Amino acid sequence: MSTITTLNPATGETIETYPLMSKQEVIQKLEAAQDAFLDWRKLSHAERAPYLTKIAETLRANADDLAALMTRETGKLLKDGKREVELCAAIFEYSAKHGPDALADEERSYGTNGGRGVVSYQPIGVIYSIQPWNFPLYQPVRVLAANLMTGNACVLKHASICTGSGLRLRELCIEAGLPEDLFQVILIDHDTSV
């Protein structure tokens, strides 16, 4: 079985080795995300908002550890890692505060005969997010926060050098109360297709 090994770029030392998932394991993760989506989409935007607020709180409570992990995996300065955690917490808070209004149904009139219509923002399913290494937390969060607010599930394939950051983000989301299967992280190589 192949693996992903993360290395400290400053020292060359191994941080962690992760087994790659089989195609069947990836399919199971995708199906679990789909099942979680079917429940999550039933919540209103206002009902989803507290989950995002709690994730923001949990990120802030773990800022030092997250920043240290990003430093070990990518060589990011510790102070920049802490700023990145704060930015991500702010994105979750912003999405929680403004999402319900931004995604509210909009009534519109059209034509000259008094026609009326409604624009309704509805979730579409499981979003597959492939992210680069340079902002290990921010890159996935910019996709995750908006899609969770909208009602979608997310599956992250992170850059291999920051595998630990992606997995830790998922753990913290679950710790904050997010349904366990709604946000998945898959560990695959570039040749794996599902």
Side-chain angles (χ1 to χ4, degrees):
M1 175 180 276
S2 297
T3 60
I4 295 172
T5 300
T6 54
L7 303 174
N8 184 321
T11 66
E13 294 176 12
T14 296
I15 300 169
E16 189 73 47
T17 299
Y18 307 91
L20 290 177
M21 294 175 176
S22 69
K23 186 173 182 175
Q24 187 56 38
E25 288 173 304
V26 173
I27 290 171
Q28 289 171 347
K29 296 276 186 191
L30 295 172
E31 288 174 346
Q34 174 65 20
D35 290 344
F37 158 72
L38 294 175
D39 290 331
W40 185 250
R41 72 180 180 175
K42 295 175 187 173
L43 300 179
S44 69
H45 300 117
E47 290 171 321
R48 294 180 201 125
Y51 289 91
L52 276 64
T53 301
K54 184 64 176 170
I55 293 170
E57 293 169 6
T58 303
L59 290 177
R60 285 192 178 107
N62 290 275
D64 290 341
D65 292 337
L66 282 168
L69 177 58
M70 288 188 279
T71 296
R72 285 192 309 276
E73 289 187 326
T74 67
K76 181 179 286 286
L77 295 176
L78 195 58
K79 67 179 182 174
D80 292 338
K82 289 180 182 180
R83 283 190 207 128
E84 187 170 333
V85 173
E86 178 53 35
L87 173 62
C88 292
I91 290 169
F92 275 108
E93 281 181 338
Y94 183 91
S95 298
K97 181 177 180 182
H98 299 285
D101 289 336
L103 297 169
D105 288 351
E106 299 174 26
E107 286 194 32
R108 296 194 181 164
S109 56
Y110 63 91
T112 57
N113 296 335
R116 305 207 34 87
V118 175
V119 175
S120 182
Y121 299 95
Q122 298 296 315
I124 59 172
V126 178
I127 306 302
Y128 184 40
S129 175
I130 302 171
Q131 296 301 327
W133 64 271
N134 55 338
F135 290 91
L137 205 60
Y138 167 74
Q139 294 287 16
V141 163
R142 68 188 175 86
V143 174
L144 183 61
N147 276 291
L148 290 177
M149 174 51 68
T150 305
N152 295 314
C154 288
V155 173
L156 170 65
K157 191 278 183 216
H158 214 329
S160 60
I161 71 169
C162 50
T163 298
S165 294
L167 292 169
R168 186 66 180 134
L169 174 60
R170 180 179 183 273
E171 288 172 358
L172 292 173
C173 288
I174 292 167
E175 182 181 312
L178 193 69
E180 186 169 347
D181 292 328
L182 196 61
F183 172 38
Q184 300 284 352
V185 176
I186 57 172
L187 307 180
I188 58 174
D189 60 21
H190 299 294
D191 296 325
T192 301
S193 62
V194 182

